[in-house]
Amino acid sequence: MSERGADSAGVAIYGDPVWSPPGHATVTVLGSIPEEINATVIDLGDIKVVHAPMSVEDLLAQLPGALIAGFGEQLTVLKGVGHPRDLATTFGLAQAQGWQGVGHTRMATESAVTPSGAHPYAVGPDQCLVHNGSFANHATIRRHLKARGVVFDSENDTEVGARFVARALADGQDVESALKSLCAEFDGFYTLLVSNRDSFAVVRDAIACKPAVIAEHDDWVAMASEYRALVGLPGIDQARIFEPEPERIYVWTR
């Protein structure tokens, strides 16, 4: 992840027992949090991991006005400005555990280089989205979503895609239907990965100019922009390696 862009980076981890203990809600916050909060706070510099044995809604209610990087029962999102290797050290990523992870390095083209502009975008419960590319009509779709009451935290075009998918899932669509709707509504070049608590999905636009490679093994599935990011995985020589086809939606369920 260290060679592309590297102005900012982030990771989403599902099931880490320290950051997201079983039976706890977890919220990750960019910036400051209230001094008096009925929860455990793990301070990782610019980002704080907050968890407590309560509902996600009750924990979020203790954080009015906070800039939320991610929330749910199994999800921890850590992101910031800087080199991925430095951020990984700050976050203590080498000690992380879990059953699914999503990492992203950003090369900003659509908005400022800020922690809130870094990926992953996690705007629904236990959901996150990462994006390689750009949405040409994101401003129009942002206006439509705002008219429906959707609130945005940044000017990043990726957040528009994340909010679109989160709204579709909240309306009862499954992830495959949500991504079909996105492909119909959004113009531009993109490879997208969307994850939630029990699955992840990948889709590329109709031109498929943004790189992607998938490895399927009996024990795991992995996706990256370059094959060399996958070569160290255990059993990679037994995995099925392929490039996802344009506008075909691939979904894996835990």
Side-chain angles (χ1 to χ4, degrees):
M1 290 178 60
S2 63
E3 295 184 6
R4 179 188 179 275
D7 55 43
S8 57
V11 295
I13 304 294
Y14 287 82
D16 184 273
V18 175
W19 293 329
S20 301
H24 286 221
T26 298
V27 178
T28 45
V29 179
L30 288 166
S32 61
I33 61 174
E35 291 185 4
E36 294 184 3
I37 183 170
N38 183 27
T40 299
V41 178
I42 302 172
D43 191 337
L44 299 175
D46 291 335
I47 201 158
K48 313 292 190 297
V49 179
V50 182
H51 63 76
M54 61 181 66
S55 70
V56 175
E57 292 76 15
D58 287 345
L59 185 54
L60 286 170
Q62 295 191 59
L63 299 162
L67 184 55
I68 305 299
F71 62 97
E73 296 178 355
Q74 302 184 37
L75 173 67
T76 303
V77 176
L78 309 172
K79 58 184 182 177
V81 171
H83 194 282
R85 187 176 294 108
D86 297 335
L87 291 169
T89 299
T90 298
F91 300 152
L93 194 60
Q95 287 74 49
Q97 302 177 53
W99 59 269
Q100 181 165 279
V102 181
H104 186 275
T105 301
R106 184 175 182 227
M107 181 176 64
T109 59
E110 291 289 339
S111 64
V113 179
T114 64
S116 65
H119 303 209
Y121 270 95
V123 300
D126 288 309
Q127 301 167 19
C128 79
L129 178 148
V130 294
H131 172 207
N132 179 11
S134 61
F135 296 130
N137 61 337
H138 65 93
T140 299
I141 296 173
R142 182 191 297 268
R143 287 195 297 272
H144 293 164
L145 290 172
K146 282 185 173 180
R148 298 180 64 189
V150 176
V151 177
F152 288 81
D153 294 327
S154 76
E155 296 301 317
N156 193 311
D157 62 324
T158 302
E159 186 181 1
V160 181
R163 298 281 180 187
F164 182 93
V165 171
R167 184 59 184 257
L169 295 176
D171 288 344
Q173 294 188 42
D174 59 24
V175 68
E176 187 170 1
S177 298
L179 288 177
K180 285 180 178 177
S181 298
L182 184 146
C183 289
E185 295 286 339
F186 283 70
D187 296 326
F189 303 110
Y190 52 84
T191 293
L192 296 176
L193 186 151
V194 176
S195 71
N196 59 41
R197 69 175 64 190
D198 61 3
S199 66
F200 81 94
V202 173
V203 67
R204 302 168 82 188
D205 68 82
I207 306 299
C209 68
K210 295 300 181 181
V213 60
I214 293 171
E216 286 186 322
H217 188 274
D218 289 345
D219 296 329
W220 49 261
V221 180
M223 177 265 191
S225 294
E226 297 182 65
Y227 172 72
R228 62 178 176 160
L230 306 176
V231 295
L233 294 175
I236 187 66
D237 53 333
Q238 283 89 46
R240 183 172 79 94
I241 312 294
F242 64 96
E243 290 189 13
E245 298 176 12
E247 286 198 325
R248 178 178 171 183
I249 298 164
Y250 299 80
V251 182
W252 295 267
T253 302
R254 187 183 180 195

